[in-house]
Amino acid sequence: MKTWLVMTSLLLGLSAHAETQALDLFTGTLEKNGSEWMLKRCDIAKSRYLLRNTNGEASGVEALLALQNTKPNEVITVALLASYHAQDSQHSLHIASVQGRKQGSCHLDALFD
């Protein structure tokens, strides 16, 4: 009986933990797509992700990225601690924090421009 109770407690604890999203580091350049911000990841595929706040909303992303004083055509590379989400073929990142930010591109092909 004790073994069954311990196993049930462990399984319930694991299922509660499964609902949390894993955080990962995403590095890429920022792009404006209409009124929304996107991250173009610095990988071979140049994957694009819609940027969202921790609640999954587009509002507040610009303040979170601290983009108030950037120039219109300025290329900015950021490193974001975020969780990945996919819904109806839309890929998005829910930003937990900004780990780094610098001017310029992280894409390899930008070296040849």
Side-chain angles (χ1 to χ4, degrees), residues 1-17:
M1 181 70 170
K2 234 183 210 183
T3 304
W4 180 83
L5 184 59
V6 169
M7 293 302 288
T8 303
S9 297
L10 285 172
L11 288 174
L12 287 174
L14 287 174
S15 66
H17 180 68

Side-chain angles (χ1 to χ4, degrees), residues 3-76:
T3 304
W4 180 83
L5 184 59
V6 169
M7 293 302 288
T8 303
S9 297
L10 285 172
L11 288 174
L12 287 174
L14 287 174
S15 66
H17 180 68
E19 292 181 21
T20 61
Q21 292 291 325
L23 294 175
D24 202 354
L25 190 63
F26 295 85
T27 303
T29 53
L30 296 174
E31 296 180 344
K32 189 81 172 195
N33 184 16
S35 64
E36 298 186 315
W37 284 98
M38 297 189 77
L39 179 86
K40 182 163 77 171
R41 196 165 189 185
C42 290
D43 59 10
I44 282 198
K46 294 185 181 180
S47 305
R48 286 183 165 79
Y49 304 92
L50 289 170
L51 297 178
R52 301 289 185 244
N53 64 20
T54 54
N55 297 325
E57 301 165 351
S59 63
V61 169
E62 191 163 319
L64 193 62
L65 296 171
L67 298 173
Q68 294 83 359
N69 297 322
T70 57
K71 298 173 186 146
N73 293 326
E74 186 176 10
V75 177
I76 298 173

